[in-house]
Amino acid sequence: MAPLTYSIVIPIYNEADNLLALHQQLQAVLGPRPDAYEIIFVDDGSRDRSLAILRQLQHHNPNLRYLSFARNFGHQIAVTAGLQFAQGQAVIVMDGDLQDPPTLIPVLIDHWRQGYKVVYAQRRRRDDSWIKQGTAFLFYRLLRQLTEVDIPTDTGDFCLMDRDVVQLLNQMPEKHRYIRGLRAWVGFPQTAVPFDRPNRFAGTAKYTLRKSLSLAISSILAFSTLPLRLSTYLGLFAAGAAIVMAALTLYWRIVQQSDRLIGFTLITIAIFFIGAVQLICIGILGAYIGRIYEEVQGRPLYTLKELNGFPNQPTHLPPQSAH
């Protein structure tokens, strides 16, 4: 078998309505190219007919492989699993809803041929609601200010990564993964390919507000210790506010002979203020400690119930962790 040049990694979750069209477009883009390739679908515990469709497609396409999780583990873990199984010299990660257009793949490849190790697609325009566009705009710029890693703005997981970068990502053991941050962290020559992101081909978005917020928090905790320093700043601010309130109390009592803000009112304000600061600090510390707890448990990143189409496919499932 000829060495694989390209691996296309596509995580999916309940994308039965998109799979046939996506496969057809991928074949139209990759089929005419002389280089050997593989298409790896990662079924993230879908509850619709996605897995059944993948079985049918794999039966007719020897270049298609698929993994199926025993349950839903999340988009970033699905991408991680695809990277672990990919064998190509260049690995292209894209979503399965056709918002990452397969027609952009040749452009990513051309930049890789020029010597770039990471080529990421950067959105010029996206056909989403103004709320989602606005929150995404603010998030990427806030993340860039909070972290010491230069994470490009307005980018998703749609990218091409060289084998050297993929091997480094596969060596990283963390469970809370933010792929677009990790690929920036490793360094190497990187460049952007701007594109206009279309609407979904079919179906509904799988990244709900809760999942988007969870990913945003995870990315900040993964690449920044500023929230921990914020706890210190809040403590200093609370101490300063307490000193100011004590000084005002003495001033009003001794100089102005006033009962203003004396007694129960002042005590209540101070208790609520200091209590709020303490709860915020405890919450920030708890978020970091929780991540430490999950890391030291040593559980695998995911569990597989089925895989098919891989050359020399093992009779037992391989290790399912990033270690």
Side-chain angles (χ1 to χ4, degrees), residues 11 15 19 24 50 54 56 71 80 129 132 173-174 185 208 247 287 304 320:
E15 296 290 358
L19 287 177
Q24 184 179 10
S50 294
L54 289 179
Q56 295 174 3
R71 66 169 178 84
T80 298
S129 67
K132 188 168 185 178
E174 60 230 65
W185 181 88
T208 61
L304 290 173
Q320 298 163 31

Side-chain angles (χ1 to χ4, degrees), residues 129-204:
S129 67
W130 65 269
I131 296 178
K132 188 168 185 178
Q133 292 186 49
T135 53
F137 179 88
L138 292 175
F139 163 70
Y140 284 114
R141 282 144 188 85
L142 176 63
L143 180 63
R144 197 165 192 177
Q145 293 297 319
L146 292 179
T147 64
E148 298 178 357
V149 180
D150 186 14
I151 302 175
T153 58
D154 304 320
T155 60
D157 293 316
F158 188 19
C159 69
L160 179 151
M161 292 181 285
D162 185 84
R163 167 55 48 186
D164 293 339
V165 175
V166 173
Q167 287 179 338
L168 286 172
L169 293 183
N170 288 341
Q171 294 172 12
M172 297 180 182
E174 60 230 65
K175 298 181 181 297
H176 294 273
R177 305 175 74 82
Y178 186 59
I179 302 298
R180 65 199 77 166
L182 294 176
R183 76 186 181 211
W185 181 88
V186 298
F188 294 107
Q190 306 192 10
T191 190
V193 172
F195 80 111
D196 296 327
R197 193 169 193 243
N199 265 323
R200 291 177 58 88
F201 179 79
T204 58

Side-chain angles (χ1 to χ4, degrees), residues 5-321:
T5 306
Y6 311 118
S7 294
I8 317 296
V9 172
I10 308 173
I12 63 164
Y13 178 64
N14 294 342
E15 296 290 358
D17 295 334
N18 293 310
L19 287 177
L20 294 179
L22 174 59
H23 179 258
Q24 184 179 10
Q25 292 190 28
L26 287 172
Q27 288 294 92
V29 170
L30 298 171
R33 303 187 71 90
D35 304 299
Y37 68 91
E38 64 178 356
I39 302 173
I40 301 177
F41 284 95
V42 184
D43 173 34
D44 189 16
S46 295
R47 298 179 180 179
D48 62 359
R49 295 184 60 253
S50 294
L51 182 56
I53 294 174
L54 289 179
R55 291 178 182 136
Q56 295 174 3
L57 291 174
Q58 197 282 321
H59 182 72
H60 295 94
N61 185 356
N63 295 319
L64 189 146
R65 301 89 159 84
Y66 67 83
L67 317 169
S68 183
F69 287 173
R71 66 169 178 84
N72 180 264
F73 283 89
H75 182 268
Q76 297 297 293
I77 298 301
V79 173
T80 298
L83 295 180
Q84 291 176 349
F85 278 85
Q87 297 298 313
Q89 293 305 304
V91 180
I92 299 165
V93 178
M94 61 188 302
D95 288 339
D97 53 11
L98 287 171
Q99 286 190 287
D100 296 339
T103 52
L104 199 64
I105 291 177
V107 182
L108 302 179
I109 292 174
D110 289 342
H111 283 74
W112 174 61
R113 295 289 188 188
Q114 295 172 18
Y116 291 101
K117 295 288 188 179
V118 175
V119 186
Y120 52 86
Q122 192 167 42
R123 304 164 188 142
R124 282 181 305 216
R125 183 181 60 84
R126 53 191 299 170
D127 292 332
D128 291 316
S129 67
W130 65 269
I131 296 178
K132 188 168 185 178
Q133 292 186 49
T135 53
F137 179 88
L138 292 175
F139 163 70
Y140 284 114
R141 282 144 188 85
L142 176 63
L143 180 63
R144 197 165 192 177
Q145 293 297 319
L146 292 179
T147 64
E148 298 178 357
V149 180
D150 186 14
I151 302 175
T153 58
D154 304 320
T155 60
D157 293 316
F158 188 19
C159 69
L160 179 151
M161 292 181 285
D162 185 84
R163 167 55 48 186
D164 293 339
V165 175
V166 173
Q167 287 179 338
L168 286 172
L169 293 183
N170 288 341
Q171 294 172 12
M172 297 180 182
E174 60 230 65
K175 298 181 181 297
H176 294 273
R177 305 175 74 82
Y178 186 59
I179 302 298
R180 65 199 77 166
L182 294 176
R183 76 186 181 211
W185 181 88
V186 298
F188 294 107
Q190 306 192 10
T191 190
V193 172
F195 80 111
D196 296 327
R197 193 169 193 243
N199 265 323
R200 291 177 58 88
F201 179 79
T204 58
K206 304 307 183 294
Y207 256 108
T208 61
L209 177 61
R210 181 181 64 84
K211 289 183 178 180
S212 298
L213 181 61
S214 176
L215 180 64
I217 295 174
S218 179
S219 62
I220 293 174
L221 296 179
F223 291 95
S224 176
T225 58
L226 182 60
L228 288 174
R229 297 197 298 274
L230 179 63
S231 300
T232 302
Y233 300 149
L234 285 173
L236 292 174
F237 178 75
I243 293 174
V244 170
M245 284 190 291
L248 286 174
T249 301
L250 291 174
Y251 173 77
W252 288 322
R253 171 65 73 179
I254 298 174
V255 177
Q256 295 190 348
Q257 300 293 318
S258 172
D259 291 333
R260 191 178 179 184
L261 287 179
I262 300 300
F264 179 76
T265 302
L266 181 60
I267 294 174
T268 302
I269 293 173
I271 290 175
F272 273 95
F273 178 75
I274 296 175
V277 170
Q278 289 176 333
L279 289 174
I280 291 172
C281 296
I282 290 172
I284 293 173
L285 290 173
Y288 282 94
I289 293 173
R291 293 170 70 92
I292 296 172
Y293 172 70
E294 292 182 1
E295 294 292 341
V296 300
Q297 284 177 321
R299 295 174 183 170
L301 292 178
Y302 53 87
T303 55
L304 290 173
K305 68 176 181 181
E306 185 177 339
L307 74 163
N308 204 355
F310 293 91
N312 303 318
Q313 187 169 310
T315 56
H316 63 282
L317 298 181
Q320 298 163 31
S321 71

